[in-house]
Amino acid sequence: MKAIASVALAVLVSWPTLGLPAAPARTMADVLAAAKADDWRELDPNNTLYLELAAGRVVIQLAPDFAPRHVDNIRLLVREHFFDGLAINRVQDNFVVQWGDADGRKSVGTAKKTLPGEFTRSAAGLPFTPLPDPDTYAPQTGFVRGFPAARDSATGTAWAVHCYGVVGVGRDNAADSGGGTELYVVSGHAPRQLDRNITVVGRVVAGMELLASLPRGSGAMGFYEKPQQRVPITRIRVAADVPEAERAKLLVLRTDTSAFNDLIESRRNRRDEWYKVPAGRIDVCNVPLPTKAK
Amino acid sequence: MKAIASVALAVLVSWPTLGLPAAPARTMADVLAAAKADDWRELDPNNTLYLELAAGRVVIQLAPDFAPRHVDNIRLLVREHFFDGLAINRVQDNFVVQWGDADGRKSVGTAKKTLPGEFTRSAAGLPFTPLPDPDTYAPQTGFVRGFPAARDSATGTAWAVHCYGVVGVGRDNAADSGGGTELYVVSGHAPRQLDRNITVVGRVVAGMELLASLPRGSGAMGFYEKPQQRVPITRIRVAADVPEAERAKLLVLRTDTSAFNDLIESRRNRRDEWYKVPAGRIDVCNVPLPTKAK
């Protein structure tokens, strides 16, 4: 079995690298093995959703830093069982998987049907771990409490970036036409053109493969053409409302630690035998966000 | 049904755009509707493979510009029925789908088992349509006869870029340990760290959804743990060996035309009502490579 997956630095790379560290080369496995207990953190149960499908559980970390009003609204929708019995109704190859009230008929109870978009926010007060690597779409990328993010010093704004696994709020043409009754997750190459155009509310931390492997919809934009093709949602719950014994036993690597910086470098310039030419740079959407069992 | 997917230019973007054209704004649909017959081309039947699965046909355009020796070898393997009855044995979420002789036991007949890697080539003589947009991984990106590509004027080399749907040759640690008996296709965010480390031999032009929606393997690196989980390959054929009536009726948009440049601009700065902030730039792996029925 040949792998596709070392840095023999014998090959000279002319495209300038961002500085190979003087320290001994370490692989991602080395970095993770060396990470200390406090390099890892628990998910906040009040900001974690469990999307339950027949195939299993999808764990979503919510992003109150980027979309506080939408996160509150979605938590309310979840607690009033809005999503239970609804379905995944759109799977567009190399783009998104989408679920919720496709027909717009279900009562939102005490929640809001729509909210003003939370597409960007002030960069002030946001703990931002910057990446030095250049990016096609933003003047600066980095990480904010586990989320891939970007910021622009000229406007003083920051936003969550659409990487694989990022969850957002479907909307119609008007910027204020979404509220959380339809959600999507990025399931292909990062559609960065969505950045600053839509509200990002979370990211999938576990179970992404359950969504990404669904049959593609044959309708326009990947919508399932027949209602029976839709994939039922058993229920969505806020982790805080789930008995502790039934919660996901997961830890996520903090993104504001030197362990995370070491991990980025281990991926920017691969140290294992397989790689012949180190990339020298890394795209924010190619940085892994490791989890481990508690 | 809320969509996720115009450019109201009311929002000022400080991150400099690459020049909005003076011409009227056009969507991708406008550009494709205006494309002339000779903006489209047929696939060369001698450089097209049909990967036949129970679920349907995957059409692969081979890349003799980038890997002439591997393409010849794979064509020979195909013609000697090497792949028929083998299987897809690895599906790693957000990375690759891989198939071939995982156990390395099948005779390669008159083909070569391994070849020297064709990781890069001379940029000289290669028709290269450059993208002006900055890229994280390469000094310049662009397109070569339908393939996303990169080049470096300092070294005079060019290479095919690992975007979604790109097909490469699995290998062991040695650079010359691959030959085409195991192939993979990129099924997630572009793993650009593979660029210049492995031989790219083609790209999927149709049927990618059949591969991308396969169940993920639960073994290390996404390998299926049980032989019965593998997805059988009915057969692979060179299109030229298939009766004309049974060939895929497909045209692909040429990438060396003004229509293609217009298409890139329509995607760099979206013109439909939905988009509020034009991205201003585009990643080589976010440029669609349109096909249409003949």
Side-chain angles (χ1 to χ4, degrees):
Chain A
M1 298 186 186
K2 297 179 200 303
I4 305 167
S6 358
V7 185
L9 289 174
V11 179
L12 189 69
V13 181
S14 72
W15 174 230
T17 62
L18 290 161
L20 292 171
R26 295 202 290 166
T27 66
M28 182 164 83
D30 294 335
V31 171
L32 292 176
K36 295 179 184 65
D38 63 4
D39 291 326
W40 298 88
R41 66 175 171 75
E42 309 236 5
L43 293 169
D44 171 4
N46 205 41
N47 283 309
T48 304
L49 299 182
Y50 297 152
L51 163 59
E52 310 279 2
L53 305 171
R57 177 184 283 178
V58 179
V59 180
I60 298 170
Q61 176 187 8
L62 293 170
D65 282 323
F66 292 101
R69 295 189 64 189
H70 281 80
V71 164
D72 282 348
N73 202 52
I74 290 166
R75 204 188 286 108
L76 195 54
L77 287 166
V78 165
R79 287 191 159 139
E80 296 181 353
H81 307 285
F82 175 80
F83 292 101
D84 305 357
L86 290 176
I88 296 166
N89 62 302
R90 179 188 184 193
V91 182
Q92 184 170 359
D93 193 58
N94 191 25
F95 192 39
V96 297
V97 174
Q98 188 169 322
W99 65 91
D101 189 21
D103 305 319
R105 293 200 198 121
K106 193 161 178 176
S107 164
V108 296
T110 67
K112 297 267 194 271
K113 194 154 191 151
T114 61
L115 286 170
E118 295 178 292
F119 302 164
T120 64
R121 55 156 284 166
S122 167
L126 204 58
F128 196 99
T129 305
L131 263 188
D133 309 70
D135 180 76
T136 298
Y137 289 93
Q140 171 138 71
T141 60
F143 297 88
V144 174
R145 293 191 182 107
F147 282 85
R151 64 182 180 184
D152 183 350
S153 60
T155 57
T157 57
W159 56 93
V161 159
H162 279 82
C163 297
Y164 187 86
V166 163
V167 176
V169 169
R171 65 166 172 84
D172 294 323
N173 285 348
D176 62 355
S177 60
T181 60
E182 287 186 72
L183 300 171
Y184 65 88
V185 61
V186 172
S187 58
H189 187 74
R192 298 284 305 278
Q193 71 280 1
L194 296 179
D195 293 358
R196 302 176 297 161
N197 278 289
I198 198 160
T199 303
V200 167
V201 291
R203 71 178 180 95
V204 171
V205 173
M208 183 62 202
E209 69 284 2
L210 302 176
L211 300 172
S213 62
L214 290 172
R216 278 48 181 160
S218 53
M221 303 196 301
F223 283 98
Y224 288 132
E225 295 185 274
K226 296 173 188 162
Q228 63 267 31
Q229 294 173 312
R230 295 179 178 175
V231 178
I233 294 169
T234 308
R235 55 181 172 173
I236 305 187
R237 289 180 294 176
V238 179
D241 302 342
V242 171
E244 194 136 354
E246 293 171 33
R247 293 187 195 163
K249 308 287 184 291
L250 270 183
L251 296 172
V252 297
L253 192 71
R254 295 172 60 110
T255 54
D256 59 350
T257 59
S258 64
F260 187 65
N261 274 333
D262 292 347
L263 177 132
I264 293 171
E265 175 53 27
S266 77
R267 301 295 279 191
R268 180 186 288 121
N269 291 298
R270 301 286 183 106
R271 310 301 183 184
D272 49 286
E273 291 292 319
W274 193 89
Y275 280 91
K276 307 309 173 192
V277 183
R281 304 190 176 213
I282 193 164
D283 172 358
V284 64
C285 290
N286 270 330
V287 174
L289 295 163
T291 61
K292 70 171 184 178
K294 201 159 46 158
Chain B
M1 296 186 189
K2 296 181 200 303
I4 303 166
S6 298
V7 184
L9 289 175
V11 179
L12 189 69
V13 181
S14 73
W15 174 230
T17 61
L18 289 161
L20 292 171
R26 294 203 291 166
T27 65
M28 183 164 80
D30 294 336
V31 172
L32 292 177
K36 295 179 186 64
D38 63 5
D39 291 327
W40 299 89
R41 65 175 171 75
E42 309 236 5
L43 292 170
D44 172 4
N46 205 42
N47 283 309
T48 304
L49 299 182
Y50 297 152
L51 163 59
E52 310 280 2
L53 305 170
R57 177 184 284 179
V58 178
V59 180
I60 298 170
Q61 175 187 7
L62 294 171
D65 282 322
F66 292 101
R69 293 190 65 189
H70 282 78
V71 164
D72 282 347
N73 201 51
I74 290 166
R75 204 187 286 108
L76 194 54
L77 287 165
V78 165
R79 287 191 159 138
E80 295 181 355
H81 306 284
F82 176 80
F83 292 101
D84 304 357
L86 290 175
I88 296 167
N89 63 302
R90 178 187 185 193
V91 182
Q92 184 170 0
D93 193 57
N94 193 26
F95 192 38
V96 297
V97 173
Q98 187 169 323
W99 64 90
D101 188 21
D103 305 318
R105 293 201 197 120
K106 194 161 177 175
S107 162
V108 297
T110 67
K112 296 265 193 270
K113 193 153 193 153
T114 61
L115 286 170
E118 295 177 293
F119 303 164
T120 63
R121 55 155 284 167
S122 166
L126 204 58
F128 196 99
T129 304
L131 262 188
D133 309 70
D135 180 76
T136 298
Y137 290 93
Q140 171 137 72
T141 60
F143 297 88
V144 174
R145 294 192 182 107
F147 281 85
R151 65 182 180 185
D152 183 350
S153 59
T155 56
T157 56
W159 56 92
V161 158
H162 279 82
C163 297
Y164 187 85
V166 163
V167 176
V169 169
R171 65 164 172 86
D172 294 324
N173 285 348
D176 62 355
S177 59
T181 61
E182 286 186 74
L183 300 172
Y184 65 88
V185 61
V186 173
S187 59
H189 187 73
R192 297 284 305 278
Q193 71 280 2
L194 296 179
D195 293 357
R196 301 176 298 160
N197 277 289
I198 197 160
T199 303
V200 167
V201 290
R203 71 178 180 95
V204 171
V205 173
M208 184 61 202
E209 69 283 2
L210 302 176
L211 301 172
S213 62
L214 290 172
R216 278 47 181 161
S218 54
M221 304 198 299
F223 282 98
Y224 288 131
E225 294 184 274
K226 296 172 188 162
Q228 64 268 29
Q229 294 173 311
R230 295 179 178 175
V231 178
I233 294 169
T234 309
R235 55 181 172 173
I236 304 187
R237 290 180 293 176
V238 179
D241 302 341
V242 171
E244 194 135 352
E246 292 171 34
R247 293 188 194 162
K249 307 286 183 291
L250 270 182
L251 295 172
V252 297
L253 192 70
R254 294 172 62 108
T255 55
D256 59 349
T257 60
S258 62
F260 187 66
N261 275 333
D262 292 347
L263 178 131
I264 293 171
E265 175 52 27
S266 78
R267 301 296 279 191
R268 180 186 288 122
N269 291 298
R270 301 286 183 107
R271 312 302 185 183
D272 50 284
E273 292 291 321
W274 192 89
Y275 281 90
K276 308 308 174 191
V277 182
R281 304 189 176 213
I282 194 163
D283 172 357
V284 64
C285 290
N286 271 328
V287 174
L289 296 163
T291 60
K292 69 171 185 179
K294 219 174 9 174

